[in-house]
């Protein structure tokens, strides 16, 4: 690895739900090029949603079916809350966070259909597991009820130094 000297202008650089797709060395080169010494890099992500004890096993099965087939290598970083990405900065501890939304069953279905792995399954296999999953969920959850859907949020925060 080469030494980086942070000499840029930015006090804070963020990347959300994407670093697992990047070439780490190239990205960190750019962070240090544009970030100032003493600035911060915030790497943010979210994990699999949670609804309740009845629904969560169904959600986990869909997640595993979709992402276990596609994007498994990159997905591991998210599943491990980015703890295993290379992170050559002075780390600052961050709290565990959670974001909760109130969704209808149709909004939940729209979210699942937005997953890149679901789109890849539809394209490659001509198969979408979401309708089957939604039928299972509907048998466990009242359709008229708004669902409290929680997203675990995680972050790694690092201070940029004169070299790394």
């Amino acid at each position: 690895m080469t030494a980086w000297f942070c000499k840029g202008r930015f006090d804070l650089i963020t990347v959300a739900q994407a670093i697992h797709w990047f070439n780490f060395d190239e990205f960190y080169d750019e962070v240090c090029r544009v970030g100032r010494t003493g600035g911060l890099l915030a790497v943010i992500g979210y994990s699999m949603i949670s609804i309740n004890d009845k629904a969560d096993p169904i959600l986990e099965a869909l997640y595993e079916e979709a992402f276990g087939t596609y994007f498994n290598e990159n997905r591991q970083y998210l599943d491990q809350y980015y703890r295993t990405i290379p992170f050559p900065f002075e780390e600052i501890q961050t709290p565990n966070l959670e974001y909760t939304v109130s969704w209808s069953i149709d909004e939940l279905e729209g979210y699942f259909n937005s997953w890149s792995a679901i789109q890849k399954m539809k394209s490659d296999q001509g198969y979408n597991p979401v309708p089957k999953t939604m039928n299972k969920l509907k048998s466990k959850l009242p359709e008229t009820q708004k669902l409290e859907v929680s997203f675990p949020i995680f972050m790694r925060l690092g201070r940029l130094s004169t070299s790394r």
Side-chain angles (χ1 to χ4, degrees):
M1 273 197 174
T2 60
W4 282 267
F5 298 97
C6 297
K7 55 187 177 250
R9 296 180 162 186
F10 292 95
D11 293 321
L12 175 63
I13 299 166
T14 63
V15 57
Q17 202 72 6
I19 197 168
H20 55 285
W21 297 112
F22 296 172
N23 174 300
F24 296 115
D25 284 336
E26 290 176 9
F27 176 67
Y28 294 147
D29 272 346
E30 188 65 9
V31 165
C32 285
R33 186 183 73 76
V34 302
R36 74 164 178 82
T37 298
L40 299 173
L41 169 64
V43 176
I44 305 160
Y46 64 88
S47 188
M48 183 56 194
I49 63 171
S50 176
I51 296 175
N52 62 35
D53 291 339
K54 290 180 182 178
D56 287 355
I58 298 167
L59 304 176
E60 290 166 14
L62 175 64
Y63 181 78
E64 189 55 42
E65 181 179 3
F67 286 96
T69 304
Y70 296 100
F71 310 124
N72 202 28
E73 187 176 319
N74 297 84
R75 171 185 79 131
Q76 70 170 325
Y77 293 120
L78 285 169
D79 291 343
Q80 296 162 356
Y81 288 32
Y82 287 153
R83 287 185 299 256
T84 58
I85 64 168
F87 200 72
F89 301 101
E90 174 193 340
E91 189 143 7
I92 299 167
Q93 292 302 307
T94 60
N96 293 325
L97 304 169
E98 186 174 274
Y99 177 67
T100 301
V101 294
S102 183
W103 279 349
S104 69
I105 198 85
D106 291 338
E107 289 169 312
L108 182 64
E109 183 173 7
Y111 169 70
F112 292 144
N113 277 308
S114 76
W115 288 0
S116 56
I118 295 295
Q119 295 305 310
K120 188 94 169 110
M121 290 179 82
K122 288 167 49 178
S123 172
D124 289 0
Q125 301 175 16
Y127 170 66
N128 182 353
V130 172
K132 178 179 75 174
T133 298
M134 296 313 297
N135 286 336
K136 288 179 185 176
L137 283 172
K138 286 175 184 176
S139 72
K140 303 281 184 194
L141 304 168
E143 193 172 335
T144 58
Q145 172 187 343
K146 284 282 195 176
L147 307 170
E148 294 299 311
V149 179
S150 297
F151 288 81
I153 307 291
F154 49 90
M155 177 172 38
R156 296 203 54 197
L157 185 64
R159 184 164 313 282
L160 308 181
S161 64
T162 56
S163 66
R164 66 174 185 120

